[in-house]
C-alpha cells in the first residue's frame, strides 16, 4: 500500500486539487443545476421563444383580419355566410359536401 502512495503524483495528494476536483464533479453531474439540466433548459427556452414568435405573428395577422372585417361590410358578409353559415330570413342554405 505504501508503494502505491509513492507512485501517485504529488498533484493528486494536494488538498486544494482534490477539493476542486470534487467540487467540479459535483457541479457537473450531481447538483440540481448540473450540465445536463442546463442543456435541457436551454433547448426548452429556444422552443418557447420560437413559439412566442409564431404566436406574435399570428396575433398581428388576426388583428389585420379584424380591421379588414370591421372596415369592409362586403367582406364581413362574405365571411359570415361562408364560415358561420349565416343567412338572410328569406334565404335557404344548401350545404354540398364533396367526396
Amino acid at each position: 500500500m505504501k508503494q502505491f502512495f509513492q507512485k501517485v503524483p504529488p498533484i493528486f495528494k494536494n488538498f486544494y486539487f482534490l477539493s476542486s476536483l470534487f467540487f467540479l464533479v459535483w457541479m457537473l453531474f450531481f447538483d440540481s443545476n448540473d450540465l445536463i439540466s442546463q442543456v435541457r433548459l436551454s433547448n426548452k427556452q429556444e422552443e418557447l421563444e420560437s413559439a412566442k414568435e409564431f404566436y406574435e405573428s399570428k396575433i398581428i395577422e388576426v388583428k389585420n383580419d379584424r380591421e379588414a372585417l370591421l372596415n369592409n361590410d362586403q367582406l364581413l358578409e362574405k365571411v359570415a355566410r361562408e364560415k358561420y353559415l349565416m343567412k338572410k330570413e328569406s334565404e335557404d342554405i344548401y350545404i354540398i359536401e364533396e367526396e
Side-chain angles (χ1 to χ4, degrees):
M1 188 67 140
K2 194 172 189 183
Q3 292 174 348
F4 175 73
F5 285 120
Q6 289 176 350
K7 290 181 182 179
V8 174
I11 187 86
F12 293 115
K13 294 178 187 178
N14 189 342
F15 171 75
Y16 297 109
F17 176 78
L18 292 175
S19 59
S20 299
L21 182 66
F22 174 76
F23 178 75
L24 184 66
V25 169
W26 182 266
M27 292 304 290
L28 288 177
F29 300 109
F30 300 115
D31 193 49
S32 62
N33 296 319
D34 62 347
L35 187 63
I36 297 170
S37 298
Q38 293 300 319
V39 170
R40 287 182 189 154
L41 289 174
S42 176
N43 291 340
K44 182 69 172 175
Q45 181 181 9
E46 291 174 6
E47 290 175 12
L48 291 174
E49 287 175 355
S50 66
K52 178 183 174 185
E53 291 174 8
F54 171 76
Y55 287 119
E56 285 176 346
S57 67
K58 283 295 184 184
I59 288 171
I60 292 170
E61 183 180 322
V62 168
K63 283 182 181 179
N64 292 338
D65 290 346
R66 180 179 179 264
E67 286 298 319
L69 285 174
L70 292 177
N71 294 331
N72 189 348
D73 291 335
Q74 292 175 345
L75 183 61
L76 180 63
E77 182 179 348
K78 178 183 174 188
V79 170
R81 287 175 177 272
E82 290 177 0
K83 189 171 183 180
Y84 298 107
L85 302 176
M86 293 183 173
K87 64 179 183 91
K88 294 180 181 176
E89 289 185 20
S90 61
E91 293 179 332
D92 291 329
I93 295 180
Y94 298 100
I95 301 173
I96 301 172
E97 295 182 9
E98 295 182 16
E99 293 185 60

